[in-house]
Amino acid sequence: STFPLQYWQIPGAMDIVPRQKQFKEDMKMINDELSVLIKNAIETRNEEDLEDIERRDYSKTEDASLLRFLVDIRGDEATSTQLRDDLMTMLIAGHETTAAVLTWTLYLLAQHPEIAEDAVQEINACVSDENGVPTPEEVRKLEKVRMILAEGMRMYPAPPILIRRAIKDVTLPR
């Protein structure tokens, strides 16, 4: 998005330039998969009033997902395009912010090995799985690790910038 010549807008560039061709194929795969998930979620929408949906315990829902929540909360207003756009935003934004948080937190831990060692000791004390995979209950007990992540986010908030470009003119209501 910052390259001076927007070569991806040249007709046929998406089919010739290797990076753009791969990007186009990847986007098709993601959109095809999202289309199947969205269609299924819309077809199995739970028609309840807003208060029931807000009180629902999604940990006990068979299809406990963000998509399920969005479809249920929006009701008939949920279109496939809106849902796909929302999911893509959350997927991309979630990926970028998680990567930034982990990068900066690991950087800070490298600067303070004694704190890194405290985190390792807490994880070893709390997590019982031999492969190191914590349960949700064990994650809640990792107080030092939570504080370390919070400090990393305080010192290096993510994302510092977000570049967006309008792809068409939009007339806003007055």
Side-chain angles (χ1 to χ4, degrees), residues 52-133:
D52 289 339
I53 292 171
E54 289 174 345
R55 283 194 301 261
R56 183 180 302 147
D57 182 356
Y58 277 88
S59 68
K60 295 183 172 87
T61 302
E62 184 177 326
D63 178 18
S65 67
L66 180 59
L67 177 58
R68 165 61 43 220
F69 176 76
L70 289 173
V71 169
D72 291 350
I73 203 83
R74 288 189 177 165
D76 293 331
E77 296 175 11
T79 67
S80 296
T81 303
Q82 288 172 324
L83 292 167
R84 181 179 296 104
D85 290 350
D86 287 347
L87 290 171
M88 288 296 285
T89 298
M90 291 177 202
L91 174 68
I92 302 303
H95 171 266
E96 288 299 318
T97 54
T98 301
V101 167
L102 292 175
T103 298
W104 285 113
T105 301
L106 291 172
Y107 167 78
L108 291 169
L109 287 172
Q111 306 302 308
H112 301 279
E114 69 285 356
I115 295 174
E117 182 57 36
D118 288 347
V120 169
Q121 288 177 5
E122 181 182 55
I123 291 167
N124 288 338
C126 288
V127 179
S128 60
D129 181 77
E130 63 186 42
N131 295 318
V133 179

Side-chain angles (χ1 to χ4, degrees), residues 7-10 12-25:
Y7 63 87
W8 55 88
Q9 292 186 356
I10 298 171
M14 295 296 278
D15 298 316
I16 296 171
V17 178
R19 282 180 61 182
Q20 296 303 316
K21 186 176 178 181
Q22 184 64 52
F23 174 77
K24 185 177 175 181
E25 291 169 5

